C-alpha cells in the first residue's frame, strides 16, 4: 500500500508506512494490514441475543438517538443512552468469533511476510481508523495499540481488542465532539514486527535552535520509545561537518522489547554518550535521503521533517516521517523576541571564579 490507499483499504498509519517502505526499503520493517473490509465483514455477523447484526445494532443506536433528539430529550440523556449501547457493543466485539478463513489467511500472511509462523515472533498491533489525521481531528492515541505481543491467542484476541477500542467512551466522545458522523468509524489494523532497538528518538531536518536549513536537531534516549515528552534525552545539533552536544541524556530508566514479548525495564548510568560517530554519519545520510525522496513530492521544497527512528546494532530503522510544522507567528512575535535572553557571545568567564 501507499498514501493513495489511505481511507480506502486502511488508515493513514499503514498507508504512510507502506509509502515509507517503498522509499526506504532497507530501513523500514515488513508489515501487513487487516483492512477495513475484514472488520466490516465481522460486524455483519449476527450479534448474540439481539436478532440483528453488530452493524445494525450500531446503526439503530444512532437512529434511536436522533429520534430522542427530535422528541426533545436532553443531550445528557441521549449521550448516556448511546454510551450504554456502545459499552454493550464493545463487550460483544471482544467476544466475537473470528472467521476461520480470516484466521487461515492471517497465518498464511505471517509466514509469507514475516517468514515465521504466527506466535513465533513478537509484533505490534496498531489501530488505524478512517477517522485519523483529518483537518480538524487527528484521532491520534484514541484507539488501542498493543505492544510486542507474541502468543497466537494473544494476537487473535488483540485484533478484537483493537476493533472494540473504537467504541470506548473516550474514543466516542472525542469523535462526537469533532465529527458529524462519529458512528462511521472503520478500524484497520497495522501489524509490524517489533524492533528491539538499543536507542531511539527523533530528528528534525532543520537546526531549530539556530534556524539553519541544512542542520539537524536530534534527541535520543536508550531503549524503545526514546525522547518522548518528559524524558531528559541526549540532544544534538548536527551540521554537515560537525556535531554539538546540546544536552546529555539524564533518563535513568528505559524499556526494551524482549523476544518473549512484553516489555522489560532497565536502568543506566550516564558516563557514556548514546550516539556514536557511525550513528551520526548514518543520521546525515538518512536526512539527505529524506530531503531528496520526500522533499521532491512536497510543494514546499524547504519543508522540514519530523523523523522517528532508532538503532539496533548500529543499523538505522525508520518508524515514521511527517512534516515538521513551525508556528511562524510565534517565531516572529515581537513579544516573544523581547523576552528571549540576549546572549553576549564575546563575554569570557574565568572558571576559577565563583558565580
Amino acid at each position: 500500500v501507499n498514501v493513495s490507499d489511505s481511507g480506502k483499504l486502511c488508515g493513514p498509519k499503514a498507508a504512510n508506512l507502506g509509502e515509507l517502505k517503498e522509499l526506504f526499503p532497507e530501513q523500514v520493517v515488513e508489515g501487513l494490514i487487516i483492512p477495513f473490509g475484514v472488520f466490516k465483514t465481522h460486524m455483519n455477523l449476527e450479534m448474540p441475543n439481539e436478532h440483528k447484526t453488530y452493524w445494525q445494532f450500531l446503526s439503530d443506536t444512532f437512529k434511536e438517538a436522533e429520534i430522542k433528539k427530535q422528541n426533545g430529550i436532553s443531550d445528557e440523556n441521549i449521550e448516556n443512552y448511546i454510551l450504554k449501547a456502545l459499552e454493550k457493543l464493545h463487550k460483544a466485539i471482544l467476544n466475537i468469533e473470528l472467521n476461520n478463513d480470516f484466521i487461515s489467511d492471517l497465518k498464511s500472511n505471517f509466514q509469507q511476510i514475516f517468514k515465521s509462523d504466527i506466535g513465533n515472533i513478537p509484533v505490534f498491533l496498531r489501530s488505524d481508523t478512517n477517522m485519523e489525521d483529518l483537518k480538524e481531528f487527528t484521532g491520534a492515541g484514541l484507539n488501542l495499540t498493543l505492544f510486542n505481543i507474541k502468543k497466537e491467542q494473544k494476537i487473535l484476541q488483540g485484533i478484537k481488542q483493537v476493533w472494540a477500542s473504537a467504541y470506548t467512551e473516550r474514543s466516542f466522545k472525542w469523535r462526537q465532539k469533532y465529527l458529524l458522523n462519529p458512528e462511521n468509524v472503520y478500524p484497520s489494523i497495522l501489524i509490524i514486527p517489533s524492533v528491539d532497538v538499543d536507542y531511539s528518538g527523533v530528528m528534525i531536518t532543520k537546526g531549530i535552535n539556530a534556524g539553519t536549513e541544512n542542520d539537524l536537531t536530534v534527541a535520543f534516549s536508550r531503549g524503545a520509545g526514546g525522547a518522548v515528552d518528559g524524558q531528559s534525552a541526549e540532544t544534538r545539533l548536527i551540521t554537515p561537518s560537525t556535531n554539538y552536544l546540546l544536552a546529555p541524556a539524564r533518563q535513568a530508566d528505559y524499556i526494551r522489547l524482549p523476544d518473549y514479548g512484553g516489555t522489560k525495564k532497565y536502568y543506566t548510568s550516564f558516563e557514556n554518550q548514546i550516539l556514536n560517530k557511525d550513528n551520526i554519519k548514518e543520521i546525515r545520510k538518512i536526512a539527505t535521503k529524506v530531503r531528496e525522496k520526500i522533499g521532491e513530492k512536497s510543494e514546499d521544497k524547504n519543508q522540514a521533517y519530523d523523523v522517528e527512528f532508532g538503532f539496533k546494532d548500529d543499523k538505522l530503522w525508520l518508524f515514521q516521517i511527517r512534516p515538521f510544522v513551525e508556528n511562524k507567528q510565534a517565531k516572529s512575535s515581537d513579544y516573544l523576541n523581547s523576552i528571549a535572553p540576549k546572549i553576549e557571545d564575546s563575554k569570557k568567564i574565568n572558571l576559577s571564579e565563583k558565580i
Side-chain angles (χ1 to χ4, degrees), residues 194-199 223-224 255-259 311-313:
S194 303
V195 181
D196 182 25
V197 289
D198 302 311
Y199 32 91
I255 63 169
R256 297 291 296 262
L257 306 174
D259 178 69
F311 285 94
K312 172 66 175 175
D313 298 327

Side-chain angles (χ1 to χ4, degrees), residues 215-249:
D215 295 343
L216 308 169
T217 304
V218 178
F220 254 71
S221 296
R222 291 174 175 82
V228 297
D229 286 345
Q231 280 194 348
S232 300
E234 178 176 297
T235 308
R236 291 181 177 271
L237 176 64
I238 301 176
T239 74
S241 58
T242 60
N243 85 90
Y244 302 93
L245 180 65
L246 301 178

Side-chain angles (χ1 to χ4, degrees), residues 34 39 89-96 98 102 125-129 142-147 149 151-168 171 187-189:
I34 301 174
F39 163 76
L89 179 63
H90 178 271
K91 290 179 179 178
I93 293 174
L94 289 177
N95 293 307
I96 201 168
L98 294 176
F102 162 64
L125 300 185
R126 300 193 68 186
S127 172
D128 194 22
T129 75
L142 281 186
N143 302 317
L144 189 64
T145 289
L146 294 174
F147 294 82
I149 56 175
K151 292 182 179 179
E152 177 181 335
Q153 196 52 45
K154 283 192 173 183
I155 292 172
L156 296 178
Q157 186 59 36
I159 291 168
K160 295 186 277 188
Q161 287 176 262
V162 173
W163 284 345
S165 70
Y167 301 104
T168 61
S171 182
S188 63
I189 300 178

Side-chain angles (χ1 to χ4, degrees), residues 16 59 69 80 105 197 255 259 303 315 325:
N16 289 334
S59 299
K69 184 176 181 180
N80 288 337
D105 189 49
V197 289
I255 63 169
D259 178 69
Q303 173 68 57
K315 175 178 171 58
V325 181

Side-chain angles (χ1 to χ4, degrees), residues 51 155 166-167 266-267 300 324 327 334 346:
H51 306 293
I155 292 172
Y167 301 104
Y266 291 84
Y267 294 88
D300 182 2
F324 174 66
N327 188 330
D334 290 337
S346 61

Side-chain angles (χ1 to χ4, degrees), residues 11 25-26 33 92 95 113-115 197 223-224 255 258 315 338 353:
E26 298 302 317
I33 296 159
N95 293 307
I113 302 300
F114 301 140
K115 312 304 180 188
V197 289
I255 63 169
K315 175 178 171 58
S338 72
E353 292 181 7

